[in-house]
Amino acid sequence: MSLQKRELWFSNEDIQIDVLSRLSAKILNRMKCVSKEWKCLISDRSFVRFQVKNTETAKGFFFQESQWSNTDIGFINYIPVEGEGEKVWRTVFNFLPEKVIILSSINGLMCCRSCFSSLDPRIYVCNPLNKQWITLQWPHLFKSSSSLALAFDPVQNPIDASTDFKLVLVSDTMTGGEDYHLSFDIYSTETGKWKRSNEFCQCKHKLIKNKGIFVDERLYWLTDGYQILMFHPQIELSWLITAPLPATYFRSIPEMCIGESKGRLCYVIISEDGLQLWVLEDYFASQWALNTCITLKELERENSSVLSNISKKMASSINRGTLPHWIDPLAFKDGMLFVRVATSIYLFRFETRKMKKLTEISMLGLNPMDSPTVIPYTMSLVPLG
């Protein structure tokens, strides 16, 4: 670069903003070390507002085994999906003042909570990339069976002056006798208060696996009854969405998960019919479109180094009634499926139809196969505080 061009680059902030805003959050975070001027520019809310408009895909997945006691908190493992080799990071949340349990993530922000036995229980909303966080008082209405999810969209709610988000707490509430319904409590940074929504949902099923997936201003929870719970925190509307295929369609119990890709809610099923990816078209009508269908034979043929006799192994584990099953889709994001096959964790990309080994399940905790929490993570520079 000539001296004249260098002088133009460093003297024209508009050029810097235009060029730098096209880079990924991960690269920009490292570039803060170049100079004080760049650190100031990259950390500025106006710059971040431009940068977050660039769609970034998930860079990895957080994995935490279930908490089975009030004092034992499993390691939070971060498993990157890029690069060669098998890597697991356990120090990502070391910047927080205590060990936490991860709950949900959206647009670079993570929602976590203290252990149930904590003397001063807290909710943490943090950004692991820039290591910033804020804490909220534990709501008295929180129960061990409740599910807490984060709703945040920096494009719909610009972050010029502050980072505004909502938290939604879903709890089962007895209405009289033995009847239960799901209630919704909402926290907003704009008011700094919790409020009980007038909305409730008659749902007899448990919320499982993927909880609080935020897509297009709505939150979704997978249930164990072939239904998906939807809640819109802005207009306080809930809805039960029927799964794309009924339970009676399958000869055996399928494995499934939900996630987001290209701004749409997706439903992944692994059954005797193969691997299917469905996309939600209309939540009011429970209308789905089949995006991809790969038979077990095709899946095995294209990934022969990983899969063999998949039909027999799936049937064998189901017939024996053993849990967990031989193959289990744990999370989905941006066309990538985080899936356990036997005792290994793989990443399956629907675009290439190829599987890549990420790590062994034994590296992720003492009891990592029984109902772990798996959360996709997309990096961002969104500031907090």
Side-chain angles (χ1 to χ4, degrees):
M1 183 184 291
S2 67
L3 177 61
Q4 184 178 7
K5 289 183 178 179
R6 284 202 301 269
E7 291 176 347
L8 177 62
W9 163 260
F10 286 104
S11 64
N12 193 322
E13 189 172 280
D14 290 339
I15 294 178
Q16 295 183 51
I17 292 175
D18 181 62
V19 174
L20 293 177
S21 64
R22 300 171 190 268
L23 301 177
S24 70
K26 182 178 181 179
I27 293 175
L28 287 169
N29 193 58
R30 292 175 178 173
M31 292 178 67
K32 289 180 181 179
C33 301
V34 172
S35 67
K36 292 182 179 179
E37 289 77 14
W38 277 25
K39 181 179 180 180
C40 182
L41 173 63
I42 295 171
S43 301
D44 187 84
R45 284 183 173 271
S46 297
F47 173 79
V48 176
R49 178 170 60 87
F50 282 110
Q51 197 276 334
V52 295
K53 293 180 181 180
N54 297 330
T55 303
E56 293 198 32
T57 58
K59 293 296 186 291
F61 291 79
F62 285 109
F63 183 108
Q64 187 176 34
E65 59 184 316
S66 295
Q67 180 191 11
W68 296 111
S69 69
N70 287 337
T71 57
D72 183 26
I73 296 182
F75 289 109
I76 301 175
N77 306 276
Y78 177 67
I79 307 167
V81 299
E82 299 175 336
E84 298 297 327
E86 301 173 21
K87 297 179 181 179
V88 176
W89 305 95
R90 286 185 169 179
T91 60
V92 175
F93 288 90
N94 283 3
F95 64 93
L96 294 178
E98 63 176 317
K99 292 183 178 180
V100 294
I101 294 171
I102 57 175
L103 300 172
S104 68
S105 177
I106 182 64
N107 292 315
L109 300 186
M110 292 287 300
C111 179
C112 317
R113 65 167 175 83
S114 304
C115 179
F116 284 130
S117 62
S118 175
L119 296 177
D120 185 24
R122 298 272 177 167
I123 295 171
Y124 294 88
V125 176
C126 63
N127 185 332
L129 185 63
N130 59 26
K131 301 188 186 320
Q132 296 178 358
W133 80 92
I134 61 174
T135 61
L136 305 173
Q137 287 289 341
W138 193 283
H140 297 296
L141 34 86
F142 197 103
K143 299 188 294 185
S144 60
S145 59
S146 300
S147 177
L148 184 65
L150 175 65
F152 168 64
D153 187 343
V155 176
Q156 293 292 331
N157 299 290
I159 57 173
D160 301 69
S162 61
T163 301
D164 294 320
F165 59 82
K166 287 183 171 64
L167 295 174
V168 176
L169 182 69
V170 183
S171 306
D172 52 347
T173 305
M174 184 175 289
T175 57
E178 297 183 355
D179 293 331
Y180 283 87
H181 69 253
L182 295 177
S183 60
F184 304 91
D185 294 276
I186 305 171
Y187 174 87
S188 172
T189 52
E190 294 180 349
T191 63
K193 298 179 180 179
W194 286 92
K195 76 164 187 174
R196 170 62 60 91
S197 172
N198 292 325
E199 179 74 358
F200 65 89
C201 182
Q202 295 287 353
C203 179
K204 299 180 180 180
H205 308 298
K206 294 181 179 180
L207 308 182
I208 61 170
K209 195 177 283 187
N210 312 119
K211 301 176 181 179
I213 305 297
F214 187 69
V215 184
D216 191 23
E217 301 185 2
R218 304 174 186 90
L219 286 162
Y220 297 89
W221 288 261
L222 183 65
T223 76
D224 62 358
Y226 294 94
Q227 288 183 318
I228 297 168
L229 170 67
M230 185 279 292
F231 181 73
H232 196 309
Q234 193 65 32
I235 60 176
E236 299 184 26
L237 171 71
S238 67
W239 200 259
L240 284 175
I241 304 167
T242 304
L245 296 174
T248 53
Y249 175 86
F250 304 97
R251 297 189 299 274
S252 58
I253 300 174
E255 295 293 334
M256 71 283 290
C257 72
I258 60 173
E260 180 271 341
S261 187
K262 298 180 180 179
R264 308 286 289 278
L265 181 72
C266 300
Y267 191 96
V268 178
I269 306 173
I270 298 180
S271 69
E272 65 270 12
D273 290 332
L275 175 61
Q276 297 180 355
L277 173 63
W278 294 80
V279 178
L280 183 63
E281 298 284 341
D282 185 332
Y283 64 85
F284 275 126
S286 295
Q287 182 178 343
W288 299 83
L290 181 60
N291 178 278
T292 305
C293 182
I294 308 172
T295 66
L296 296 181
K297 287 184 178 180
E298 291 174 326
L299 194 62
E300 183 177 328
R301 183 175 63 251
E302 297 181 29
N303 297 274
S304 57
S305 62
V306 176
L307 303 173
S308 62
N309 298 319
I310 183 173
S311 298
K312 291 182 180 179
K313 290 177 180 177
M314 286 183 63
S316 177
S317 66
I318 293 171
N319 292 335
R320 291 198 309 269
T322 57
L323 291 174
H325 289 163
W326 181 73
I327 187 168
D328 188 10
L330 297 172
F332 174 83
K333 182 77 167 74
D334 300 326
M336 297 180 290
L337 179 65
F338 187 92
V339 57
R340 178 185 58 78
V341 180
T343 58
S344 299
I345 296 294
Y346 291 89
L347 184 77
F348 178 81
R349 295 183 183 272
F350 277 86
E351 184 177 2
T352 62
R353 296 163 64 118
K354 296 295 183 182
M355 299 183 78
K356 170 189 173 184
K357 185 177 179 180
L358 296 178
T359 186
E360 290 290 335
I361 194 77
S362 59
M363 297 292 294
L364 304 179
L366 298 175
N367 189 28
M369 296 181 70
D370 195 358
S371 303
T373 298
V374 181
I375 299 176
Y377 178 60
T378 302
M379 297 181 180
S380 82
L381 297 168
V382 172
L384 288 166

